[in-house]
Amino acid sequence: MIVLSQFGSVVGAHRLWSHNSFKAALPLRVFLLFCQTLSGQYSAFQWARLHRVHHKYVDTSKDPYNANAGFFFCHIGWLLIQPTPEAREEAQKVWVEDLRKDKLVMLQHKYYWHITLPISFIIPGIIPWYFWSENFIVSNCVAVYLRWVFWLHATFTINSFAHFYGMKPFDKNIKATDNKITWFATLGDEGWHNYHHVFPWDYKPSEWWGYHNGVGTMFIDFCAQLGLAHDLKTTSPEMSTKRRQRTGDLSCNEKDKTDDAPRIDSCHFFFHYQTLHELSLDKRVRASPYVPPPENEVKMTPAAILKVRVHRIGFVLVHIFAAFGLYYLVRGQVKMQTLVATSVMIVLSQFGSVVGAHRLWSHNSFKAALPLRAFLLFCQTLSAQYSAFQWARLHRVHHKYVDTSKDPYNANAGFFFCHIGWLLIQPTPEAREEAQKVWVEDLKKDKLVMLQHKYYWHIILPISFIIPGIIPWYFWSENFIVSNCVAVYLRWVFWLHATFTINSLAHFYGMKPFDKNIKATDNKITWLATLGDEGWHNYHHVFPWDYKPSEWWGYHNGVGTMFIDFCARLGLAHDLKTTSPEMSTKRRQRTGDLSCHVWGWYDENVSPVDRKFTDIQYKEVCN
């Protein structure tokens, strides 16, 4: 409830209604008004009106929480005393026509004192008492009063701490500061207050990108990905740098973009999500009706729009069900047999993704007999990460054009994008084009691969989402809902994110022993998440045909490598390609000299030297 209150105050009342830093669709506005009511800090209309006066006349007698009146006054005292006549007058004069036109805001304002009592003070105290038999007094004292007081004072550190203590990188002549206590109290959302008073229209609280900007910023970005938030205003690096250089020359305090006062630097506005359409990375698709059409405009078809939106909604729902599965797991409501079965299915999914789609079909790092290929295709279907053909095709493009606009999960587009965002938006035209051009003749000749690709959407539902949920329920009488939430959704979400740490964490954090000029790194978290199989990613991008994930021998290379070795001993896997110690040592010595990226063994740019020094183990015996 504290986080929901934060969404109401920080995202809703502050950034949306006070500063117009983004626009919100109807469902999001309803949700934020509910959260604002839960916070118990005035109606959104009253909150925004006072806050606009604060920004317009900061630290003067017209400021309702004037910092010059003392620390206690600007923290909480202003609530306990009648405001100055100037502050009352300006509260009536400040521009709020946009708020008056918002019927939802005015409806909440009209009935605020009727709805705040049940939403903020009655229901939160009843929920713990009714649903899990919490002591009634404890329930109310903690879930109502402690929660309300905590968030009240956390919010008010913005008016007090962030106006008294800290740095002033953008305007040294105002009292607003960047304060770490406020940053911590508001869950990372409001600590950069000097920046905010200079650029109040920015939906981010600071000049930096990244989620040290707080959960409120994360929530806005997430809503933008879902199409619930748009026109996210932010400040360009050039603009913030220039303001740093002329700190102290700010001629007026702007409340927002709609203020009728002179606006400084308004020509430098850019809309983070308005430069691209919310559903497509194609720059030829018009971002919104409010911007000029691009050259050679391309329109998304209704079918394409529906596909992306359905994909996003389904993705959110699956994560919600997975959260329930995690809840049941933490509460100890999952039987041991279900945990074992889920773990086995995760390992099988790993075999499908890591051994099959990745090392066998993407990189041709070994060859597999028919029974092994059939087994790996089953495991790949269980993992529910596209067909093996589609998985391998995209992955070859990734290796061939890594970290460029042609890379389907380009790390330069940001951590969120390369982790999961690329699944939730239409790819760039370059990525789509290269996916059609990349060499996949070996895959097309594999009848099993093409059979799975042809019927993938027919078999994925029973194999990955129906049967895994039925097994625990049918064989050992697991609760049906628990069975599905854990063995289906939690299992799928866990392995999805474990796999995608390869695209994100292993392209942002870690060492680069083989090529310091690419983003791929050796990352321990990825190593752990993928059960030891994919953590040595810098090595892998240099030697993608190696069936091992690193230059070392041993089973810290992961269960996938163990499985390939085991199959080789059974005669099910052969021609295991690996890199000789001499070869890896030479590449270490010339780190940074990699002339081009290759997708695997059959790439035309694999050098003769690399082919010569690659060891092929368990060579196929031709009769």
Side-chain angles (χ1 to χ4, degrees):
M1 285 188 282
I2 288 175
V3 174
L4 292 179
S5 298
Q6 182 190 32
F7 289 164
S9 303
V10 171
V11 178
H14 191 202
R15 300 190 196 170
L16 176 59
W17 288 300
S18 292
H19 298 304
N20 304 116
S21 63
F22 68 98
K23 294 179 181 177
L26 179 64
L28 179 57
R29 283 161 49 221
V30 171
F31 173 72
L32 291 175
L33 281 172
F34 166 79
C35 293
Q36 168 62 15
T37 307
L38 178 66
S39 72
Q41 294 183 11
Y42 288 140
S43 67
F45 177 85
Q46 181 72 347
W47 205 107
R49 181 167 63 178
L50 289 176
H51 197 71
R52 289 182 180 185
V53 175
H54 164 65
H55 270 263
K56 187 69 178 174
Y57 302 103
V58 61
D59 302 332
T60 69
S61 60
K62 296 179 180 181
D63 181 357
Y65 18 95
N66 175 16
N68 287 319
F71 185 93
F72 178 81
F73 175 83
C74 65
H75 183 82
I76 197 71
W78 65 276
L79 277 178
L80 309 176
I81 194 171
Q82 196 175 54
T84 63
E86 297 94 329
R88 287 203 303 273
E89 181 182 355
E90 291 303 329
Q92 298 302 318
K93 289 167 57 179
V94 71
W95 192 83
V96 288
E97 295 308 310
D98 57 326
L99 300 177
R100 294 187 188 279
K101 291 177 182 178
D102 191 322
K103 293 181 180 179
L104 277 178
V105 168
M106 297 312 295
L107 185 68
Q108 188 233 21
H109 179 63
K110 182 177 180 180
Y111 295 104
Y112 178 73
W113 296 108
H114 299 80
I115 60 177
T116 189
L117 191 63
I119 291 178
S120 188
F121 293 95
I122 296 177
I123 296 175
I126 290 176
I127 289 174
W129 166 73
Y130 182 81
F131 285 98
W132 49 86
S133 303
E134 181 62 87
N135 179 279
F136 185 77
I137 296 176
V138 172
S139 176
N140 279 271
C141 287
V142 174
V144 177
Y145 301 108
L146 181 60
R147 181 260 310 170
W148 183 81
V149 168
F150 171 82
W151 181 242
L152 182 79
H153 287 284
T155 308
F156 288 174
T157 61
I158 305 168
N159 302 335
S160 54
F161 281 94
H163 278 257
F164 276 83
Y165 312 109
M167 299 181 295
K168 302 178 180 181
F170 289 93
D171 188 357
K172 62 185 178 182
N173 297 319
I174 60 175
K175 291 184 73 71
T177 65
D178 291 355
N179 184 279
K180 292 183 179 179
I181 295 176
T182 300
W183 179 87
F184 183 76
T186 57
L187 307 184
D189 263 306
E190 298 294 339
W192 325 104
H193 205 53
N194 189 257
Y195 175 90
H196 173 67
H197 266 267
V198 176
F199 305 111
W201 58 79
D202 197 326
Y203 89 99
K204 300 183 286 83
S206 75
E207 71 270 32
W208 298 299
W209 292 95
Y211 293 122
H212 59 282
N213 279 331
V215 295
T217 305
M218 292 172 63
F219 179 72
I220 297 172
D221 282 335
F222 177 69
C223 290
Q225 293 288 340
L226 296 179
L228 295 173
H230 55 94
D231 290 8
L232 277 61
K233 304 174 187 71
T234 189
T235 308
S236 67
E238 178 188 7
M239 182 179 177
S240 61
T241 301
K242 285 183 177 179
R243 179 53 62 86
R244 277 184 182 273
Q245 294 170 350
R246 56 191 179 92
T247 293
D249 293 334
L250 189 61
S251 59
C252 75
N253 297 97
E254 303 178 83
K255 76 173 169 54
D256 56 54
K257 183 175 179 287
T258 60
D259 190 7
D260 55 3
R263 290 192 289 276
I264 299 174
D265 299 318
S266 60
C267 60
H268 290 283
F269 284 131
F270 72 89
F271 298 80
H272 181 48
Y273 278 92
Q274 203 172 9
T275 56
L276 290 173
H277 193 279
E278 57 163 320
L279 302 178
S280 176
L281 293 176
D282 192 340
K283 295 179 180 178
R284 298 170 300 172
V285 178
R286 192 175 183 179
S288 82
Y290 306 104
V291 297
E295 294 183 11
N296 305 318
E297 181 180 1
V298 174
K299 293 186 177 181
M300 289 184 69
T301 64
I305 293 174
L306 180 64
K307 180 180 178 181
V308 177
R309 291 200 184 280
V310 169
H311 199 172
R312 291 180 178 184
I313 293 170
F315 196 77
V316 171
L317 290 176
V318 167
H319 278 72
I320 291 173
F321 295 145
F324 278 108
L326 184 61
Y327 170 78
Y328 293 134
L329 185 63
V330 172
R331 294 274 295 179
Q333 298 177 6
V334 183
K335 293 183 178 180
M336 182 57 67
Q337 300 98 308
T338 305
L339 287 178
V340 172
T342 302
S343 300
V344 169
M345 286 188 282
I346 288 174
V347 174
L348 292 178
S349 298
Q350 183 190 31
F351 289 164
S353 302
V354 171
V355 178
H358 192 201
R359 300 191 196 169
L360 176 59
W361 288 300
S362 292
H363 298 305
N364 305 115
S365 62
F366 69 98
K367 295 179 181 178
L370 180 63
L372 178 56
R373 282 160 48 222
F375 173 72
L376 291 175
L377 281 172
F378 166 79
C379 294
Q380 168 63 14
T381 307
L382 178 66
S383 72
Q385 294 182 10
Y386 289 137
S387 67
F389 177 84
Q390 181 73 346
W391 204 108
R393 180 168 64 177
L394 289 176
H395 197 70
R396 289 182 181 185
V397 175
H398 164 64
H399 271 263
K400 187 70 176 174
Y401 302 102
V402 62
D403 302 331
T404 68
S405 61
K406 296 179 179 180
D407 182 356
Y409 20 95
N410 175 15
N412 287 320
F415 185 93
F416 177 81
F417 175 83
C418 67
H419 183 80
I420 201 70
W422 65 276
L423 276 178
L424 307 176
I425 195 168
Q426 198 177 57
T428 63
E430 298 94 332
R432 288 201 301 272
E433 182 182 354
E434 292 303 328
Q436 299 302 319
K437 289 166 57 178
V438 71
W439 193 81
V440 288
E441 295 307 312
D442 57 326
L443 300 177
K444 290 182 178 180
K445 291 177 182 178
D446 191 321
K447 293 182 180 180
L448 274 181
V449 167
M450 297 313 295
L451 185 68
Q452 188 232 21
H453 179 64
K454 182 178 180 179
Y455 295 105
Y456 179 71
W457 296 107
H458 299 80
I459 61 178
I460 185 180
L461 195 62
I463 291 178
S464 188
F465 291 95
I466 296 178
I467 296 174
I470 290 176
I471 289 174
W473 167 73
Y474 182 80
F475 285 99
W476 49 85
S477 303
E478 179 65 271
N479 179 281
F480 185 77
I481 295 176
V482 172
S483 176
N484 279 272
C485 287
V486 174
V488 177
Y489 300 107
L490 183 59
R491 180 260 311 170
W492 183 80
V493 166
F494 171 82
W495 181 242
L496 182 81
H497 287 286
T499 309
F500 288 173
T501 61
I502 304 168
N503 302 336
S504 54
L505 289 174
H507 278 257
F508 277 82
Y509 311 108
M511 299 181 295
K512 301 178 180 181
F514 289 93
D515 188 356
K516 62 184 178 183
N517 297 318
I518 60 175
K519 291 183 74 73
T521 65
D522 292 355
N523 185 281
K524 292 182 180 179
I525 296 177
T526 300
W527 178 86
L528 182 66
T530 57
L531 307 184
D533 263 306
E534 298 294 339
W536 324 105
H537 205 52
N538 189 257
Y539 175 90
H540 173 66
H541 266 266
V542 176
F543 305 111
W545 57 80
D546 197 326
Y547 88 99
K548 300 184 286 80
S550 74
E551 70 270 32
W552 298 299
W553 292 93
Y555 293 121
H556 57 282
N557 279 331
V559 295
T561 305
M562 293 171 62
F563 180 72
I564 296 172
D565 283 336
F566 177 72
C567 291
R569 294 182 183 278
L570 296 179
L572 295 173
H574 52 89
D575 288 9
L576 276 61
K577 303 174 186 69
T578 190
T579 307
S580 66
E582 178 187 3
M583 182 179 178
S584 61
T585 301
K586 285 184 177 180
R587 179 52 62 89
R588 277 184 181 273
Q589 294 169 351
R590 56 190 179 95
T591 294
D593 293 334
L594 189 61
S595 57
C596 68
H597 301 289
V598 295
W599 56 255
W601 182 248
Y602 288 122
D603 191 290
E604 60 185 5
N605 291 319
V606 176
S607 70
V609 175
D610 287 348
R611 291 190 187 276
K612 179 180 178 181
F613 286 100
T614 296
D615 296 332
I616 300 180
Q617 302 174 354
Y618 296 96
K619 288 189 177 181
E620 183 178 11
V621 178
C622 298
N623 296 325

